[in-house]
Amino acid sequence: MKKENKIWKDLQKAFNTGVSYMLPTVVVGGIFLAIALGTGNAGDSGMEISNQFMQNLNDLGSAGFAMMIPILSGYIAYSIAGKPGLAPAMILGYVANNPIGSGQVQTGFLGAMLMGVACGYFVKWCKTWKVPPTIRTIMPILIVPVITTFVIGMIYIYVISVPIGLAMDWLVATLSSMQGGSAIILGLIIGAMTAVDMGGPINKTATAFTLALMAEGVYSPNGAHRIAVAIPPLAMAISTLIDRRKYSTEDRDLGISALFMGLIGITEGAIPFAIKDMKRVLPAIIIGSAVGGALGMANGVEALVPHGGLIILPVVNGKLWYVIAMLIGTLVSVAILHFTKPNLEEAAAENS
């Protein structure tokens, strides 16, 4: 039991380390994207920026977001195994967050967390090998990073990503069979899928499904999806404002950034909060997003562009219910967090 507790505490420490190093990229990326996209116009491909300076700012923000997940993965491994774990985990965090393999699967921040932990413990094991002194000098910069990246990378591509790809195909088929059925149930499922991994494979599956329907002139599922993408960051932002004793100063500062990201429909703004307290944050934002998606579908909200948040309100059919559904879903998440998330001192006592 003591060993299990130690492993769990080591993992908590590793996740917190990953989040603390990741936070500046989330803030930089989110604020730059919010400013840039706020000047754009809603078009067929999403928010279209015509000003070159704002496009450059958008590219800087996108770069920040591209670095976010690899940094998370890298510093999770760093916390577990030290410097030799950093490069392999960053590489595999990048791999997890981008399509790879025959099925072009991406697993998002959950996959990157798994890669960070796997690399960390694999490197920790490598460091116990008995090797000659001449080889030991090149172990941390050559042998360990190469072997770790190859072994964990191949396991990810050939073992982990294949069933995930098959599961995503099954999800698309299941959603397609529901089309035209109960609007509320479909809205609930789309909303929940949007929030469960915030940019990961389940979220991307919901996006692909709604985009396919948009191509056929069906816009309601996209409306539910675009309501739901804004709810997790908006909920975390409001929660940090009204329940200040439940969040650190760092979290409250991040809440301001999450607010901007929610307004422009960037779900990833809630990821740092989910990593630090997954058992409370994830259920809250999944339920809130499901409620928002269901309300949007039930009231015939249609989003005409592949983007979300209040920024696309001019190109939404059913504007009032778009806002109401987003607000109610956000408040549901905030209420759940209010009653389930402990104050900081209680959480510290719980983890001690």
Side-chain angles (χ1 to χ4, degrees):
M1 184 62 72
K2 283 184 178 178
K3 189 177 180 182
E4 286 178 9
N5 284 342
K6 184 181 184 307
I7 291 172
W8 175 241
K9 284 191 174 181
D10 286 346
L11 286 176
Q12 280 187 313
K13 179 173 174 279
F15 293 154
N16 286 335
T17 301
V19 169
S20 66
Y21 279 100
M22 176 185 76
L23 282 181
T25 62
V26 179
V27 173
V28 170
I31 289 176
F32 284 6
L33 285 173
I35 294 169
L37 291 172
T39 66
N41 298 307
D44 293 339
S45 59
M47 297 305 294
E48 296 171 354
I49 303 167
S50 55
N51 180 289
Q52 185 57 50
F53 176 80
M54 287 298 172
Q55 183 58 54
N56 294 338
L57 197 62
N58 183 74
D59 291 342
L60 288 174
S62 297
F65 263 46
M67 294 297 295
M68 176 176 78
I69 301 302
I71 287 174
L72 167 68
S73 181
Y75 280 97
I76 287 173
Y78 174 78
S79 177
I80 295 168
K83 285 184 194 175
L86 194 56
M90 280 191 171
I91 292 167
L92 295 177
Y94 177 86
V95 165
N97 203 39
N98 289 275
I100 196 167
S102 58
Q104 290 291 280
V105 172
Q106 60 188 106
T107 54
F109 87 96
L110 293 174
M113 289 174 69
L114 177 62
M115 290 297 94
V117 171
C119 286
Y121 281 107
F122 188 85
V123 169
K124 199 172 184 179
W125 173 63
C126 290
K127 289 166 78 172
T128 65
W129 295 354
K130 305 296 183 187
V131 296
T134 51
I135 294 178
R136 181 160 293 281
T137 57
I138 61 170
M139 284 280 287
I141 58 170
L142 177 62
I143 295 173
V144 171
V146 169
I147 291 175
T148 304
T149 304
F150 177 76
V151 172
I152 305 298
M154 290 299 108
I155 290 172
Y156 175 79
I157 294 168
Y158 289 105
V159 178
I160 296 173
S161 72
V162 172
I164 289 173
L166 293 173
M168 295 310 105
D169 291 342
W170 173 81
L171 264 177
V172 171
T174 303
L175 288 173
S176 299
S177 68
M178 289 185 64
Q179 187 193 337
S182 170
I184 293 176
I185 293 174
L186 184 57
L188 279 169
I189 293 172
I190 290 173
M193 286 176 65
T194 301
V196 73
D197 58 359
M198 292 171 280
I202 299 174
N203 176 293
K204 290 289 192 297
T205 299
T207 302
F209 172 69
T210 58
L211 289 177
L213 290 181
M214 283 177 69
E216 298 174 16
V218 180
Y219 295 98
S220 292
N222 188 54
H225 181 46
R226 303 306 167 176
I227 289 166
V229 297
I231 288 172
L234 289 176
M236 297 316 305
I238 294 172
S239 184
T240 60
L241 285 171
I242 66 171
D243 280 326
R244 299 179 69 81
R245 293 178 61 197
K246 299 179 186 293
Y247 298 94
S248 65
T249 304
E250 187 181 66
D251 290 335
R252 294 198 298 270
D253 291 342
L254 185 64
I256 297 169
S257 177
L259 176 64
F260 288 114
M261 285 187 255
L263 294 175
I264 62 169
I266 299 177
T267 321
E268 288 88 342
I271 286 177
F273 297 99
I275 295 168
K276 289 175 89 170
D277 191 6
M278 200 169 288
K279 67 181 179 182
R280 297 182 183 92
V281 170
L282 267 186
I285 60 176
I286 289 169
I287 293 168
S289 295
V291 169
L295 284 171
M297 282 291 290
N299 291 281
V301 173
E302 297 180 332
L304 307 181
V305 296
H307 203 88
L310 291 178
I311 197 172
I312 67 159
L313 197 58
V315 287
V316 169
N317 292 334
K319 291 177 176 57
L320 180 61
W321 270 106
Y322 183 78
V323 175
I324 290 173
M326 194 179 294
L327 177 62
I328 291 175
T330 298
L331 293 178
V332 166
S333 294
V334 170
I336 293 170
L337 287 167
H338 176 75
F339 290 110
T340 60
K341 196 168 176 60
N343 291 338
L344 286 177
E345 56 269 22
E346 293 169 358
E350 181 184 304
N351 293 326
S352 62

